[in-house]
Amino acid sequence: MSKATILEWFEENKHTYTKMAQDIWDHPQIAYEEEYASGLQQKALEAEGFTIKQPIGGIETAFVAEYGQGKPIIGILGEFDALPGLSQTAIPTKEEVSAGGPGHGCGHNLLGTAGVEAVVALKKKIEEDGHTGTIRYYGCPAEEVLNGKTHMAKAGVFDDLDTALTWHPMTSNAPMNKSMQSMVSIKFHFKGKPAHAAASPEAGRSALDSVEIMNIGVNYLREHVPDGTRMHYTITDGGLAPNIVPESATVWYFLRAGSKDKVEGILHRVNNIAKGAALMNETEVDSEILAFAYDTLPNDALNELMYHNMLESAPLEYTDEEQAFVESLATSLPSVGKPFEELIPTSISFNPYQPGVSMPGSTDVGDVSWITPTGMVTTTCAPVGTALHSWQATASFGTEIGYKGMHLAASTMALTAYDLLNNKDNIIDKAKEEFDKLRDGKAYQAGI
């Protein structure tokens, strides 16, 4: 089975995976509740002869599907969780399917399905060509809360991989040449003393006051952190009523920076601010780390190979109906007025990784990229100007615009994995050499 016949397989079978992606889009479930998508993908892979291991790391919706034997071992990462509050129909105007319901505003209905599509195509290759080597699909839950892959990593399921491949729906076709930021998700729980806020306020110690003092301290810290640092917070518990001095209060922080080391340094200072706020107000504080994702390590050796295989894949083409959808949706975007060719790029580009340059977002793919060389691409699945985690994104990812980008990503990963199974031009050794150089002797240790 040559690359040409792999592409023929995609053309003949893509409707099956369009249907899967649509089915998952129709049944959105948030982090750790993705029973529908996880079960659907497991069933499809089991029917194709994959061995399923589930649960992983104690997570019911996490699984690993494996086919083949021996080395090399190539992993493809998938995700399938939706976002709360992003329910949207697949039309270019804002309209919820269910009020306040979840929706696939990050395109994980596409992300995981492309991985399933890619490994099934590879399985056909192994069957027909008699290749040795192992392929795995990782059904990864809870990417949106940035800790699903961390729990899987703690279970050791990525440790023996030679390489991993993944992708993300975006608004362009290119390998990911920038790192994504490390991020810690942490809650600070303050405990004080309740009292009548009018009759005996002096008897109380307000946990909410401690939260607000802490937030003031962190806001002053903003002047003294590395460029690119982001610190966001929300008060999730501020007391029960104005006339009761709050006995408990909680503030939830996301701290982001270009590397895990930098985040750890910022976290140390934020912890001290929390302790200081508690001391100033005679309250108590403890903290709870919910997630601690690593920064991603792009791998040029894998990314360049993915670029060439994206060029070999079937090009993106759009119908008049899809053009009308894009142009209508663009009226709600900053890109309104751009010609169609600029709104929905079909061109494919490659730029080498620039160390020290990072994107503002974070992902638990970073954990995997510190365990094994990891290649990642994006494909056009929505019009330029579409922000992830928006109703416009949810709408696009439930249409042929999203599904065509998904198939491009799937074929790119399948063709790349084909080259990796053959270790074309010793690509695995080159990827590992680059991986070791970027890690610079630092070993992965789960942040939670």
Side-chain angles (χ1 to χ4, degrees):
M1 186 174 179
S2 66
K3 281 189 173 182
T5 53
I6 292 175
L7 293 174
E8 288 172 8
W9 181 92
F10 274 101
E11 191 60 34
E12 292 168 1
N13 292 276
K14 63 184 181 182
H15 64 281
T16 298
Y17 300 95
T18 295
K19 182 179 178 182
M20 177 183 285
Q22 178 69 57
D23 200 0
I24 295 171
W25 189 90
D26 287 336
H27 298 85
Q29 294 173 313
I30 62 172
Y32 294 116
E33 298 178 10
E34 319 95 326
E35 292 90 353
Y36 189 89
S38 179
L40 182 68
Q41 292 187 354
Q42 288 182 57
K43 184 177 179 180
L45 289 162
E46 194 169 28
E48 289 289 347
F50 283 76
T51 300
I52 308 293
K53 295 180 181 178
Q54 180 276 341
I56 304 295
I59 304 169
E60 292 297 323
T61 52
F63 71 93
V64 180
E66 180 176 290
Y67 188 87
Q69 56 185 354
K71 287 280 197 174
I73 305 173
I74 310 301
I76 292 182
L77 310 180
E79 298 159 12
F80 33 61
D81 57 326
L83 286 155
L86 282 179
S87 178
Q88 168 65 29
T89 58
I91 62 173
T93 54
K94 194 174 190 311
E95 180 184 290
E96 292 178 303
V97 176
S98 59
H104 278 286
C106 208
H108 292 180
N109 63 309
L110 309 174
L111 203 163
T113 303
V116 174
E117 188 177 9
V119 295
V120 172
L122 282 167
K123 180 253 185 179
K124 303 296 184 183
K125 180 202 74 63
I126 290 175
E127 281 183 330
E128 295 185 18
D129 289 5
H131 268 284
T132 58
T134 304
I135 51 174
R136 289 187 191 148
Y137 171 75
Y138 289 85
C140 304
E143 190 278 336
E144 297 296 356
V145 295
L146 295 175
N147 59 22
K149 294 183 190 67
T150 310
H151 287 296
M152 295 176 75
K154 288 177 69 175
V157 295
F158 304 114
D159 291 352
D160 60 347
L161 283 177
D162 287 292
T163 63
L165 304 174
T166 192
W167 77 292
H168 204 287
M170 293 288 280
T171 59
S172 62
N173 308 299
M176 186 70 77
N177 71 321
K178 296 179 181 178
S179 176
M180 298 184 73
Q181 291 192 319
S182 175
M183 192 206 84
V184 64
S185 169
I186 182 170
K187 288 184 176 181
F188 293 90
H189 305 288
F190 288 86
K191 184 178 180 181
K193 294 180 181 179
H196 194 294
S200 55
E202 73 283 356
R205 298 293 182 267
S206 171
L208 178 59
D209 285 356
S210 294
V211 164
E212 293 188 311
I213 292 168
M214 176 186 174
N215 292 343
I216 291 169
V218 172
N219 284 327
Y220 275 104
L221 177 64
R222 294 180 191 279
E223 184 183 357
H224 306 287
V225 293
D227 288 346
T229 297
R230 296 289 183 268
M231 298 183 288
H232 351 279
Y233 62 84
T234 185
I235 299 172
T236 59
D237 172 17
L240 299 175
N243 62 343
I244 304 172
V245 174
E247 181 179 14
S248 65
T250 295
V251 61
W252 185 8
Y253 271 84
F254 283 5
L255 308 174
R256 304 180 197 254
S259 71
K260 188 168 181 287
D261 288 346
K262 288 180 180 178
V263 174
E264 286 173 343
I266 296 162
L267 178 59
H268 173 73
R269 300 193 68 182
V270 170
N271 275 324
N272 282 339
I273 290 170
K275 293 174 185 176
L279 179 63
M280 289 171 68
N281 201 37
E282 296 183 339
T283 57
E284 299 174 3
V285 65
D286 58 48
S287 61
E288 171 190 12
I289 291 180
L290 306 178
F292 204 151
Y294 274 68
D295 48 304
T296 56
L297 293 180
N299 191 289
D300 274 347
L302 293 177
N303 282 353
E304 187 169 4
L305 181 61
M306 295 185 84
Y307 163 70
H308 288 297
N309 281 309
M310 191 180 290
L311 291 174
E312 289 191 45
S313 300
L316 293 174
E317 297 177 347
Y318 301 102
T319 65
D320 291 343
E321 182 180 5
E322 290 155 8
Q323 179 172 341
F325 175 91
V326 167
E327 291 173 341
S328 179
L329 187 67
T331 62
S332 66
L333 300 173
S335 53
V336 60
K338 288 182 178 289
F340 176 73
E341 294 76 15
E342 293 182 28
L343 283 173
I344 199 85
T346 59
S347 60
I348 299 168
S349 61
F350 171 74
N351 292 296
Y353 169 49
Q354 301 173 18
V357 179
S358 62
M359 297 180 67
S362 307
T363 175
D364 58 11
V365 170
D367 288 52
V368 181
S369 77
W370 277 81
I371 297 170
T372 189
T374 303
M376 183 176 184
V377 296
T378 66
T379 65
T380 299
C381 295
V384 168
T386 302
L388 294 177
H389 299 201
S390 69
W391 70 262
Q392 294 97 332
T394 306
S396 296
F397 299 150
T399 70
E400 282 294 327
I401 302 294
Y403 302 140
K404 287 181 176 181
M406 176 188 77
H407 296 309
L408 176 59
S411 62
T412 298
M413 292 189 293
L415 294 176
T416 301
Y418 175 90
D419 288 334
L420 290 167
L421 285 170
N422 289 291
N423 201 15
K424 178 184 176 183
D425 300 326
N426 293 316
I427 184 64
I428 292 175
D429 294 337
K430 293 176 183 176
K432 288 182 176 180
E433 182 180 346
E434 184 177 353
F435 169 70
D436 289 337
K437 182 178 179 181
L438 288 173
R439 285 198 307 169
D440 192 26
K442 297 176 183 175
Y444 173 80
Q445 289 184 322
I448 56 175

